[in-house]
């Protein structure tokens, strides 16, 4: 029985043997103690635990010795017991007056062992072929392999390095590292472990026994229990970084609570024609119930959210409270959108096709958060002024899932409205924006978007994939989108839609987007990433 003390009262545990006491007893008569010699039947793990327990109390000191031992395999143990394979073949040939060339069976030996022994016996000239049989040649043989393996079994070593390689190739021996310990007495050595106190109790304080108590020392080298703590997902870390960058540059966050929106806000108000491929079933998730949305109308809940989000930024700028604002006319906006598509307006010839009210009122899972930006810019038309807005939320597209595409992902949307904006300014803004995320060397490629002209795709280099990856799209909103809202002709608006997943993949070296988002995500990957990352300037 071994004692573990909790407070002054021993709590006993059952053990097969008390190794700690055996070590103390052995040290009393022999020093240094060699665990390999003195405790040959005890496993390395058990003796190490006993020594650690004594070492933590300074009762013993020990040094670790690592040695290589040659160990027998199951096959070689059978050879030590009954003889080598080639000896058993020769023995059978002598006793039986000959053995068949094929199909020899020896009791207790697998066919593969017998076949190997037969080949070795022929090379040793212990047997020879005589017609359809093998017959014994010498009357007696010396089984050197058995004797050699017996010696290895006793000494766990072999002096001939070349012979060791041969035996390893035949899978008769293996080489393993063995840990042993040389143990000496420590400064606090005693023949018995004294009773130790781990808790300071109220009774000990009251009667003063704590003054004489032997308190167990803390083991500061012991590992603590694994904590099931929460972890921040890399996507959420990068999302927080993006939000901070936006806020530091004077952007106001837009409300993005509507995952379902009408085709009017998602497509038509963005000057996307109703025949555009993006509006096909294979590219967009459509909602069947309810069958259609209302026409554009006031949205008090979202208005309230937007007022709260803008309240802080408005305090930073001087405003004219007496300035007249132009109230929104949703019916006029509806007619303007219909006209710019069907007939052309505001200096544009439009698309000149029969515009369908049913098509524009179809409900969709939003394909981009630009649907939110459209609503916010229409709101800005009440009081046109320089403004910056952003949003980060989920969007949905009927995509084929692969290493860089998902059907549901996060989009970072930003708009900058001001007078005198140029395309070069947008490029410079995006370079500065991504540099704050540690993504350098952007490339811009001309592109087509129905609602921006000119338009540019944004690419960043992914070291893991070894290629340039598209991380966003951008451009300057078209007059066909802005002027129907009531914004002045001389106001320009940058628009940029950025992926959240792909910049995260670049920063964290993820090659497959499905390892970052979805049911295949490895929780160890999330837990192993530090909550805070310090980037080099």
């Amino acid at each position: 029985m071994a004692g573990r003390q909790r407070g002054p009262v021993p709590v006993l545990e059952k053990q097969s043997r008390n190794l700690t006491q055996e070590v103390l007893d052995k040290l009393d008569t022999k020093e240094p103690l060699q665990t390999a010699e003195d405790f040959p039947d005890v496993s390395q793990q058990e003796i190490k635990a006993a020594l650690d327990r004594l070492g933590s109390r300074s009762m013993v000191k020990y040094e670790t010795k690592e040695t290589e031992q040659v160990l027998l395999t199951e096959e070689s143990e059978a050879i030590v017991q009954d003889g080598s394979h080639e000896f058993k073949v020769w023995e059978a040939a002598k006793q039986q007056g000959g053995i068949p060339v094929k199909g020899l069976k020896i009791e207790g030996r697998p066919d593969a062992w017998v076949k190997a022994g037969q080949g070795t016996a022929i090379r040793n000239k212990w047997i020879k072929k005589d017609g359809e049989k093998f017959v014994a040649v010498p009357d007696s043989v010396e089984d050197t392999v058995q004797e050699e393996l017996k010696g290895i079994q006793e000494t766990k070593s072999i002096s001939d390095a070349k012979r060791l390689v041969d035996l390893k190739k035949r899978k008769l021996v293996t080489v393993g590292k063995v840990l042993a310990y040389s143990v000496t007495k420590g400064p606090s050595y005693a023949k018995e472990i004294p009773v130790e106190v781990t808790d300071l109790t109220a009774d000990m304080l009251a009667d003063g026994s704590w003054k004489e108590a032997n308190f167990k020392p803390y083991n500061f080298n012991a590992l603590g229990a694994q904590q099931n703590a929460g972890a921040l997902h890399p996507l959420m870390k990068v999302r927080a970084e993006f939000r901070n960058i936006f806020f530091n540059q004077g952007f106001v966050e837009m409300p993005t609570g509507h995952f379902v929106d009408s085709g009017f806000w998602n497509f038509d108000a963005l000057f996307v024609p109703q025949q555009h491929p993006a509006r096909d079933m294979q590219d967009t998730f459509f909602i069947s119930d309810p069958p259609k949305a209302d026409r554009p109308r006031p949205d008090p809940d979202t208005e309230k959210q937007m007022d709260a989000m803008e309240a802080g930024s408005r305090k930073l700028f001087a405003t004219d409270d007496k300035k007249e604002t132009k109230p929104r006319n949703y019916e006029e906006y509806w007619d303007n959108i219909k006209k710019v598509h069907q007939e052309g307006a505001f200096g544009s010839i439009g698309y000149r096709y029969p515009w369908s009210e049913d098509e524009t009122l179809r409900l969709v899972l939003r394909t981009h958060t630009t649907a939110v930006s459209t609503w916010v810019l229409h709101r800005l038309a009440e009081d046109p002024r320089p403004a910056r807005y952003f949003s980060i939320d989920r969007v949905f597209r009927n995509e084929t899932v692969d290493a860089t595409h998902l059907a549901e992902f996060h989009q970072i949307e930003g708009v900058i409205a001001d007078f005198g904006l140029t395309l070069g300014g947008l490029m410079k803004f995006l370079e500065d924006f991504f540099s704050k995320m540690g993504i350098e060397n952007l490339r811009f490629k001309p592109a087509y978007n129905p609602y921006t002209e000119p338009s540019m795709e944004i690419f960043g280099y992914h070291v893991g994939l070894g290629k340039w990856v598209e991380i966003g799209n951008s451009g300057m909103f078209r007059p066909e989108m802005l002027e129907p809202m009531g914004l002045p002709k001389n106001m320009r608006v940058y628009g940029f839609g950025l992926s959240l997943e792909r910049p995260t993949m670049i920063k964290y070296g993820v090659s497959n987007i499905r390892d970052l988002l979805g049911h295949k995500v490895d929780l160890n990957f999330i837990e192993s990433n530090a909550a805070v990352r310090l980037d080099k300037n």
Side-chain angles (χ1 to χ4, degrees):
M1 304 288 283
R4 182 184 74 231
Q5 316 306 329
R6 181 166 182 81
V9 183
V11 178
L12 300 180
E13 325 179 301
K14 292 183 179 179
Q15 289 186 352
S16 57
R17 59 192 292 187
N18 190 344
L19 275 176
T20 52
Q21 188 59 53
E22 289 184 34
V23 170
L24 293 175
D25 292 341
K26 182 72 71 172
L27 268 178
D28 190 44
T29 58
K30 177 184 178 182
E31 188 180 10
L33 182 154
Q34 306 297 334
T35 58
E37 300 172 7
D38 298 302
F39 297 95
D41 57 334
V42 178
S43 69
Q44 183 266 334
Q45 292 86 353
E46 289 178 305
I47 196 68
K48 178 71 163 53
L51 294 177
D52 283 343
R53 186 180 181 202
L54 294 171
S56 66
R57 294 163 174 79
S58 300
M59 298 181 74
V60 302
K61 296 186 291 186
Y62 64 90
E63 294 180 356
T64 303
K65 294 183 177 180
E66 185 177 289
T67 58
E68 282 192 348
Q69 288 187 352
V70 182
L71 306 173
L72 301 187
T73 63
E74 180 184 356
E75 182 178 356
S76 56
E77 287 177 351
I79 292 174
V80 170
Q81 187 72 24
D82 298 322
S84 65
H85 308 325
E86 53 268 32
F87 176 82
K88 299 297 288 185
V89 170
W90 170 84
E91 185 180 53
K94 183 178 180 182
Q95 291 177 355
Q96 300 173 22
I99 54 177
V101 173
K102 296 181 179 180
L104 175 63
K105 301 289 184 183
I106 296 178
E107 186 178 353
R109 299 286 167 116
D111 292 344
W113 294 6
V114 173
K115 186 176 180 180
Q118 189 171 291
T120 305
I122 293 171
R123 287 193 298 273
N124 291 348
K125 297 182 180 180
W126 289 1
I127 61 174
K128 68 178 181 179
K129 190 175 182 183
D130 185 8
E132 297 298 321
K133 293 184 177 182
F134 283 116
V135 295
V137 177
D139 289 334
S140 63
V141 297
E142 184 180 353
D143 193 353
T144 56
V145 173
Q146 184 188 38
E147 295 302 319
E148 184 178 42
L149 291 176
K150 283 182 178 180
I152 293 173
Q153 187 180 51
E154 293 174 0
T155 64
K156 292 184 172 54
S157 64
I158 182 172
S159 58
D160 189 338
K162 184 178 179 182
R163 184 59 181 153
L164 175 60
V165 173
D166 293 338
L167 292 174
K168 287 172 67 177
K169 284 183 179 178
R170 290 183 62 181
K171 298 182 179 179
L172 295 178
V173 299
T174 60
V175 177
K177 290 184 177 180
V178 177
L179 294 178
Y181 306 96
S182 178
V183 188
T184 58
K185 294 177 181 178
S188 302
Y189 171 79
K191 292 189 67 175
E192 292 183 357
I193 299 179
V195 175
E196 294 177 324
V197 177
T198 58
D199 291 338
L200 180 63
T201 65
D203 291 339
M204 294 171 67
L205 292 172
D207 60 22
S209 60
W210 64 271
K211 297 177 183 179
E212 307 298 329
N214 179 33
F215 287 95
K216 181 180 179 181
Y218 280 107
N219 182 4
F220 292 103
N221 295 321
L223 295 176
Q226 184 69 31
Q227 299 299 311
N228 251 341
L232 293 173
H233 195 289
L235 271 178
M236 296 300 101
K237 298 177 200 173
V238 176
R239 180 179 182 271
E241 290 180 52
F242 271 119
R243 291 184 79 236
N244 287 334
I245 293 171
F246 277 121
F247 286 136
N248 289 337
Q249 294 186 338
F251 281 77
V252 174
E253 191 165 14
M254 296 182 280
T256 55
H258 297 301
F259 286 175
V260 177
D261 222 323
S262 68
F264 177 87
W265 293 110
N266 198 79
F267 294 120
D268 292 78
L270 286 163
F271 199 53
V272 178
Q274 294 183 344
Q275 301 86 2
H276 195 279
R279 299 176 75 153
D280 291 343
M281 188 66 75
Q282 63 265 29
D283 290 305
T284 303
F285 292 109
F286 287 94
I287 306 299
S288 58
D289 186 17
K292 66 177 183 178
D294 295 337
R295 282 191 174 196
R297 57 175 173 77
D299 184 352
D301 291 337
T302 309
E303 293 283 352
K304 187 176 180 180
Q305 293 178 47
M306 196 67 215
D307 287 338
M309 290 175 172
E310 279 194 312
S313 68
R314 285 182 177 272
K315 293 178 182 178
L316 300 176
F317 304 98
T319 57
D320 184 1
D321 295 334
K322 297 181 180 180
K323 181 180 178 181
E324 292 186 7
T325 60
K326 174 183 159 185
R328 275 168 282 175
N329 186 330
Y330 288 96
E331 194 63 35
E332 180 183 2
Y333 187 32
W334 171 273
D335 292 338
N336 286 343
I337 293 298
K338 178 179 179 179
K339 189 173 183 180
V340 79
H341 277 257
Q342 185 167 281
E343 303 167 16
F346 307 100
S348 171
I349 63 172
Y351 292 118
R352 290 176 292 180
Y353 65 88
W355 187 73
S356 168
E357 179 176 328
D358 291 337
E359 178 65 26
T360 196
L361 294 181
R362 293 181 72 182
L363 286 164
V364 301
L365 281 175
R366 66 181 181 212
T367 60
H368 47 195
T369 50
T370 316
V372 181
S373 302
T374 308
W375 180 87
V376 171
L377 288 172
H378 182 231
R379 184 177 187 271
L380 183 66
E382 287 186 342
D383 178 17
R385 65 192 185 281
R388 295 183 171 198
Y389 300 105
F390 83 95
S391 64
I392 306 175
D393 211 334
R394 283 181 286 175
V395 296
F396 311 87
R397 294 182 190 174
N398 201 353
E399 296 266 16
T400 300
V401 176
D402 59 26
T404 56
H405 294 85
L406 290 174
E408 176 183 347
F409 57 96
H410 293 80
Q411 182 177 341
I412 302 165
E413 175 86 11
V415 295
I416 300 176
D418 208 337
F419 303 93
L421 298 179
T422 64
L423 185 66
L426 174 59
M427 296 172 69
K428 177 61 177 172
F429 169 82
L430 292 172
E431 287 175 346
D432 292 343
F433 183 89
F434 276 103
S435 69
K436 297 180 190 303
M437 294 291 296
I439 300 175
E440 307 281 353
N441 302 321
L442 296 186
R443 285 184 178 177
F444 299 97
K445 177 183 175 183
Y448 166 75
N449 293 315
Y451 42 90
T452 57
E453 180 59 37
S455 307
M456 301 180 300
E457 291 175 344
I458 310 163
F459 289 83
Y461 189 74
H462 191 302
V463 177
L465 292 176
K467 66 179 183 180
W468 292 87
V469 178
E470 183 186 350
I471 56 177
N473 208 329
S474 64
M476 301 184 71
F477 283 126
R478 298 178 66 104
E480 290 96 331
M481 174 187 165
L482 301 178
E483 292 186 30
M485 299 175 175
L487 289 170
K489 288 186 177 183
N490 60 343
M491 174 165 273
R492 302 287 180 263
V493 180
Y494 293 152
F496 48 95
L498 314 173
S499 164
L500 178 62
E501 282 75 9
R502 293 185 185 177
T504 306
M505 290 171 68
I506 293 173
K507 290 184 73 66
Y508 285 88
V510 178
S511 299
N512 193 323
I513 195 171
R514 288 166 289 189
D515 295 334
L516 189 66
L517 183 65
H519 66 284
K520 292 187 176 181
V521 173
D522 183 1
L523 293 180
N524 289 326
F525 164 73
I526 298 173
E527 293 173 355
S528 63
N529 278 292
V532 177
R533 184 184 62 252
L534 298 177
D535 290 330
K536 294 181 180 179
N537 293 327

